[in-house]
Amino acid sequence: MKQQGAILWLTGLSSAGKTTIAQGVAEGLQKRNYPTELLDGDIVRTHLSQGLGFSKQDRDTNVRRIGFVANLLSRNGIIAIVAAISPYRQVREELKQTTTNFIEIYIQAPLAICESRDVKGLYAKARKGEIKNFTGISDPYEEPINPEIICQTDQFTVEQCVNQVLHYLETQGFI
Ligand code: ADP
């Protein structure tokens, strides 16, 4: 039987834990020999979406491009793992409707926790007004209404969150 692909779409605020969990899930899947590809928002922006900014229109374009690539992978039996803030609900819903096996994973932590982590120092810059349109501070984040998985990263460890995702894939028959 052909391996079923999927799109694991990790959405959430900056520093919520998307990259960390995406890498953990990728590692877990690779260990079990599942073909996997990681599409990280920051890296995508330096290649596929170079030149795009952070207006709503550009953010939506960025998300659609990532979705397009992820779907090529998914329909060819690869588990595509996407880590991207992807703040707007409508375009995420659009992808859910138009792609193969789209699994929405809300990487959730309160803004105050994300801000205290400030992995890339961006919240501090946003607070000083050095970065405009910063999600959570000066730009909206629209929470998923009905995600397949919610990882609460302020309440569970990285390992627990990674296992939560892998367990979902098991119970749904993807792995
Ligand atoms: P994002 O990709 O969402 O911007 P990162 O993964 O780069 O976030 O950073 C998340 C930070 O939070 C890391 O320093 C990570 O070690 C920490 N962290 C603490 N608990 C968790 C958890 N349960 N899941 C993911 N990250 C966590």
Side-chain angles (χ1 to χ4, degrees):
M1 210 176 86
K2 197 171 164 283
Q3 165 61 33
Q4 231 196 136
I7 302 172
L8 308 183
W9 193 281
L10 282 64
T11 171
L13 295 171
S14 184
S15 287
K18 299 179 297 297
T19 299
T20 305
I21 294 172
Q23 286 172 347
V25 171
E27 219 171 274
L29 291 173
Q30 281 155 7
K31 253 189 224 158
R32 302 177 194 202
N33 289 321
Y34 287 100
T36 303
E37 192 63 66
L38 184 55
L39 294 164
D40 189 273
D42 290 340
I43 298 166
V44 166
R45 275 190 175 275
T46 67
H47 297 281
L48 188 65
S49 291
Q50 201 180 32
L52 290 182
F54 293 88
S55 64
K56 178 172 190 305
Q57 194 184 7
D58 278 8
R59 286 178 186 273
D60 282 349
T61 301
N62 180 46
V63 165
R64 285 197 182 97
R65 285 185 191 173
I66 300 172
F68 176 80
V69 175
N71 192 44
L72 296 181
L73 297 168
S74 176
R75 71 183 199 199
N76 281 292
I78 294 164
I79 301 175
I81 307 170
V82 176
I85 295 173
S86 44
Y88 293 108
R89 194 175 289 140
Q90 196 188 330
V91 68
R92 292 194 311 261
E93 286 301 320
E94 177 188 304
L95 291 180
K96 199 179 275 196
Q97 301 307 323
T98 57
T99 60
T100 303
N101 298 338
F102 186 92
I103 298 164
E104 189 175 36
I105 305 174
Y106 182 20
I107 306 300
Q108 203 269 335
L111 176 65
I113 300 283
C114 295
E115 198 167 349
S116 70
R117 289 177 182 162
D118 205 4
V119 179
K120 290 160 233 151
L122 298 176
Y123 283 100
K125 284 188 181 162
R127 288 288 184 198
K128 281 191 254 168
E130 289 169 14
I131 303 175
K132 300 211 171 357
N133 305 112
F134 194 76
T135 302
I137 306 290
S138 46
D139 224 42
Y141 178 77
E142 298 175 354
E143 294 191 317
I145 291 172
N146 221 344
E148 278 67 31
I149 306 171
I150 302 176
C151 294
Q152 293 183 292
T153 68
D154 60 322
Q155 291 177 37
F156 298 97
T157 64
V158 173
E159 196 189 353
Q160 285 173 321
C161 293
V162 167
N163 284 337
Q164 192 187 349
V165 175
L166 294 173
H167 184 252
Y168 176 88
L169 294 175
E170 276 168 13
T171 57
Q172 297 299 310
F174 286 102
I175 60 174

